[in-house]
């Protein structure tokens, strides 16, 4: 049985997602299986999910996925590098995936791989040391000796921070550095397109680094290289070699998830308008689910976060006056700016998006500000980079949200016998299955964060079905029309 892992958000589930699943089904074959690693009630873009994670997971199963696992919220509400590390660590824990599939705006996969290799070597993830894999990569592309790499890494980071402080945005700063006289001689061999004029290639790299799905695809490849290095993987069995990037399709029935969320926000109070706005872009079952949620009042948008954000920030600001609460709002530029717009937020004159845009600048994106605001709402302290890297690079558990009767159920049975990482079928398992693959404190921190995120979402959406209770909900099991083949194992 061929198995593919998809890294997804499904916010909302649209026609492009359905086409991706169909393409992956061709990749794995009729007897293969598709596993979706899905962000839950909050997303990497720093937004609240339109539908709760259980509803999204059920939709995914109904539309062709066989098993849905939840990406932990600590990794989800982090930058692309940590989000990718989280997803790759779960895939590594699964042990037997044949493909890792993601989408991208760029059709030139070689370009994205070249950028990822450059960042892997000169802007590595925390804890990445010189390994045989890195040395082999340097030999393959005739890059500098291992003794020179630490010096180049430090220089890259120093120059990058200086560029960001000068007001250059992150994508532009990275692109300028890659093509600078200091690094270009070492970077050039990583790009098969090096026969192009340097200026033309630089334009292509700059454009690629400005597209959100490209950035994530690069991060997945970089995280896979790092995981391979840590595991000492052979070249033929590496996670990086399993990555398949599907270029984004275009067509009259396709819209970006961002554009669809804007349509949902504009029409959320009118099921009729919602139907007319989305009918061309969503599969019928996905559209029906959104409309049903709108009718019940459980359809969520970032606009609904504003009152909760105002209350949370106001409460933290008031509590700061008490001696035991001095660290509730750290004294950084971000929180100083947050204090400045607090009156507007308390008076509900500014939306969640208003707050994020007001706090952003060239060195801090709007999406980053949204994630910081959501962390504030969920009372999730932002760990230091070393702690966050440890949490994201080690799968504490695999949380099952939904599965198909076949092959999802068979897949789960096989997983339970073959993997070391705990399979969490319902929230009570987090108490009963504490195997502590890495560390008890990390397990507790991760599980409590997911618990808090789920229940806060249920509170905001007034949706009891989204609650994480002791034994409820168990994963959603959906019968499928596919039957077990005599040749499938």
């Amino acid at each position: 049985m061929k198995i593919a892992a998809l890294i997804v958000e499904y916010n909302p589930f649209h026609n492009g997602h359905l086409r991706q699943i169909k393409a992956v089904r061709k990749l794995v074959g009729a007897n293969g299986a598709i596993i979706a690693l899905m962000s839950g009630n909050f997303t990497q873009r720093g937004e609240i999910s339109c539908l709760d994670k259980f509803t999204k997971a059920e939709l995914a199963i109904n539309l062709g996925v066989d098993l849905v696992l939840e990406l932990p919220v600590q990794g989800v509400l982090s930058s692309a590098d940590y989000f990718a590390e989280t997803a790759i660590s779960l895939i590594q824990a699964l042990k037997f995936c044949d493909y890792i599939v993601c989408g991208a705006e760029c059709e030139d996969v070689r370009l994205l791989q070249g950028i990822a290799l450059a960042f892997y070597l000169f802007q590595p993830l925390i804890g990445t040391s010189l390994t045989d894999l890195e040395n082999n990569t340097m030999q393959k592309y005739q890059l500098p000796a291992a003794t020179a790499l630490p010096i180049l890494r430090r220089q890259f980071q120093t120059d990058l921070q200086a560029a960001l402080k000068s007001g250059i945005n992150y994508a532009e700063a990275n692109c300028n550095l890659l093509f600078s006289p200091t690094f270009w001689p070492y970077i050039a061999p990583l790009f098969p397109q090096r026969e192009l004029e340097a200026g033309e290639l630089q334009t292509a790299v700059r454009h690629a680094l400005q597209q959100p799905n490209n950035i994530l695809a690069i991060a997945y490849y970089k995280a896979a290289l790092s995981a391979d290095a840590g595991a000492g993987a052979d070249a033929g069995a590496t996670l990086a070699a399993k990555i398949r990037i599907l270029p984004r399709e275009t067509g009259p029935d396709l819209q970006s998830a961002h554009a669809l969320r804007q349509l949902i926000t504009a029409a959320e109070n009118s099921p009729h308008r919602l139907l007319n706005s989305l009918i061309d872009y969503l599969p019928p079952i996905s559209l029906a689910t959104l409309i049903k949620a709108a009718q019940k009042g459980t359809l969520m948008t970032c606009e609904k976060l504003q009152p909760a954000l105002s209350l949370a920030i106001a409460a933290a600001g008031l509590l700061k006056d008490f001696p035991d609460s001095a660290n509730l709002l750290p004294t950084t530029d971000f929180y100083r700016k947050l204090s400045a717009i607090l009156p507007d937020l308390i008076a509900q004159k500014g939306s969640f998006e208003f707050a994020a845009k007001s706090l952003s600048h060239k060195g801090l994106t709007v999406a980053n500000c949204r994630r910081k605001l959501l962390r504030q709402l969920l009372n999730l302290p932002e760990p230091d980079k070393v702690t966050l890297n440890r949490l994201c690079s080690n799968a504490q558990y695999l949380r099952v949200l939904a599965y198909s009767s076949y092959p999802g159920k068979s897949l789960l049975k096989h997983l339970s016998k073959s993997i070391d990482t705990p399979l969490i079928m319902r929230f009570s398992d987090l108490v009963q299955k504490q195997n502590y693959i890495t560390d008890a404190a990390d397990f507790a921190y991760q599980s409590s964060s997911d618990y808090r995120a789920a229940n806060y979402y249920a509170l905001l959406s007034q949706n009891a079905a989204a609650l994480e209770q002791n034994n409820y909900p168990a994963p959603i099991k959906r019968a499928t029309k596919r039957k077990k083949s005599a040749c499938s194992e």
Side-chain angles (χ1 to χ4, degrees), residues 405-426:
S405 57
Y406 176 79
K409 186 176 180 180
S410 300
L411 197 57
L412 276 177
K413 186 177 180 180
H414 178 70
L415 281 172
S416 66
K417 295 178 180 179
S418 62
I419 65 172
D420 304 317
T421 308
L423 269 177
I424 304 302
M425 303 295 287
R426 52 181 58 81

Side-chain angles (χ1 to χ4, degrees), residues 17 23 76 84 105 121 149-150 176 313 322 353 369 381 384 391 395 398:
H17 295 136
V76 169
E105 291 88 356
L121 288 173
L149 190 56
N176 291 344
I313 302 302
F322 291 86
E353 191 67 9
C369 290
D384 61 80
L391 286 168
L398 297 170

Side-chain angles (χ1 to χ4, degrees), residues 162-175:
L164 293 174
K165 287 181 180 178
S166 72
I168 301 175
N169 68 47
Y170 191 76
E172 188 75 17
N174 274 295
C175 188

Side-chain angles (χ1 to χ4, degrees), residues 213-246:
N213 289 318
N214 288 342
I215 293 170
L216 284 173
I218 291 165
Y220 298 142
Y221 197 75
K222 178 181 171 184
L225 286 168
S226 183
D228 289 336
D234 295 328
T238 62
L239 289 167
K242 296 178 180 181
I243 293 179
R244 300 290 185 274
I245 297 174
L246 300 180

Side-chain angles (χ1 to χ4, degrees), residues 353-387:
E353 191 67 9
F354 157 79
K357 288 180 178 179
S358 299
L359 296 166
S360 67
H361 51 80
K362 286 188 175 181
L364 191 67
T365 65
V366 174
N368 199 338
C369 290
R370 289 196 207 103
R371 291 193 294 267
K372 285 179 176 291
L373 289 171
L374 284 177
R375 282 183 171 275
Q376 183 71 36
L377 268 177
L378 298 173
N379 192 25
L380 296 179
E382 199 157 359
D384 61 80
K385 289 185 177 180
V386 173
T387 302

Side-chain angles (χ1 to χ4, degrees), residues 150-161:
I151 300 171
L152 288 167
R153 285 178 167 178
R154 287 194 294 271
Q155 185 65 48
F156 195 98
Q157 284 302 109
T158 299
D159 293 350
L160 178 63
Q161 292 304 317

